[in-house]
Short mmCIF file of all heavy atoms in Angstrom, two decimals:
data_model
loop_
_atom_site.label_atom_id
_atom_site.label_comp_id
_atom_site.label_asym_id
_atom_site.label_seq_id
_atom_site.Cartn_x
_atom_site.Cartn_y
_atom_site.Cartn_z
N CYS A 78 139.29 157.20 159.58
CA CYS A 78 140.00 155.89 158.91
C CYS A 78 141.37 156.02 159.08
O CYS A 78 142.04 157.13 159.27
CB CYS A 78 139.70 156.10 157.33
SG CYS A 78 137.93 156.01 156.86
N THR A 82 141.76 150.20 159.18
CA THR A 82 140.54 150.00 158.32
C THR A 82 140.91 149.74 156.92
O THR A 82 140.07 149.31 156.10
CB THR A 82 139.64 151.23 158.36
OG1 THR A 82 140.41 152.34 157.98
CG2 THR A 82 139.15 151.42 159.82
N GLN A 83 142.17 150.00 156.50
CA GLN A 83 142.63 149.68 155.19
C GLN A 83 143.23 148.20 154.99
O GLN A 83 143.43 147.82 153.78
CB GLN A 83 143.86 150.71 154.79
CG GLN A 83 143.30 152.07 154.92
CD GLN A 83 142.07 152.45 154.27
OE1 GLN A 83 141.89 152.10 153.06
NE2 GLN A 83 141.12 153.12 154.85
N ALA A 109 124.51 136.29 174.22
CA ALA A 109 124.22 134.75 174.24
C ALA A 109 125.27 133.84 173.61
O ALA A 109 124.92 133.24 172.65
CB ALA A 109 122.83 134.62 173.61
N ARG A 115 129.46 126.04 169.78
CA ARG A 115 129.81 124.87 168.90
C ARG A 115 130.49 125.31 167.69
O ARG A 115 131.65 124.69 167.36
CB ARG A 115 128.51 124.05 168.54
CG ARG A 115 128.02 123.20 169.54
CD ARG A 115 127.42 121.99 168.80
NE ARG A 115 127.47 120.94 169.87
CZ ARG A 115 126.33 120.39 170.34
NH1 ARG A 115 125.15 120.92 170.05
NH2 ARG A 115 126.43 119.44 171.25
N ASP A 149 135.22 148.88 168.06
CA ASP A 149 135.17 148.79 166.54
C ASP A 149 135.49 147.35 166.17
O ASP A 149 136.50 146.97 165.78
CB ASP A 149 136.26 149.70 165.89
CG ASP A 149 136.21 149.73 164.46
OD1 ASP A 149 135.27 149.17 163.90
OD2 ASP A 149 137.16 150.32 163.75
N THR A 168 147.55 142.77 170.51
CA THR A 168 147.86 142.42 171.85
C THR A 168 147.93 140.90 171.97
O THR A 168 148.86 140.52 172.81
CB THR A 168 146.61 142.97 172.77
OG1 THR A 168 146.48 144.42 172.60
CG2 THR A 168 146.75 142.59 174.18
N PRO A 177 152.56 140.52 181.84
CA PRO A 177 151.19 140.66 182.14
C PRO A 177 150.69 142.16 182.28
O PRO A 177 149.61 142.60 181.85
CB PRO A 177 150.89 139.85 183.45
CG PRO A 177 151.92 138.90 183.47
CD PRO A 177 153.07 139.44 182.85
N ILE A 180 150.25 143.72 178.67
CA ILE A 180 149.07 143.22 178.16
C ILE A 180 147.92 143.95 178.86
O ILE A 180 146.95 144.38 178.16
CB ILE A 180 148.99 141.72 178.22
CG1 ILE A 180 150.07 141.07 177.49
CG2 ILE A 180 147.65 141.22 177.66
CD1 ILE A 180 150.34 141.50 176.03
N LEU A 184 145.09 146.41 177.10
CA LEU A 184 143.71 146.08 177.25
C LEU A 184 142.91 147.30 177.88
O LEU A 184 141.64 147.34 177.61
CB LEU A 184 143.35 144.73 177.91
CG LEU A 184 143.81 143.57 177.02
CD1 LEU A 184 143.63 142.24 177.87
CD2 LEU A 184 142.97 143.39 175.75
N LEU A 187 140.62 149.80 176.13
CA LEU A 187 139.32 149.51 175.76
C LEU A 187 138.41 148.92 177.07
O LEU A 187 137.22 149.07 176.90
CB LEU A 187 139.42 148.27 174.78
CG LEU A 187 138.19 147.83 173.96
CD1 LEU A 187 137.50 148.89 173.20
CD2 LEU A 187 138.62 146.69 173.05
N ALA A 210 150.82 124.64 170.76
CA ALA A 210 150.38 123.89 169.68
C ALA A 210 151.05 124.14 168.44
O ALA A 210 150.75 123.41 167.38
CB ALA A 210 148.87 124.21 169.52
N ALA A 219 149.59 147.27 163.03
CA ALA A 219 149.83 148.67 163.37
C ALA A 219 149.49 148.99 164.83
O ALA A 219 148.44 148.57 165.30
CB ALA A 219 149.01 149.53 162.40
#
Side-chain angles (χ1 to χ4, degrees):
C78 290
T82 60
Q83 301 307 313
R115 279 213 162 110
D149 183 11
T168 300
I180 302 306
L184 290 174
L187 188 58

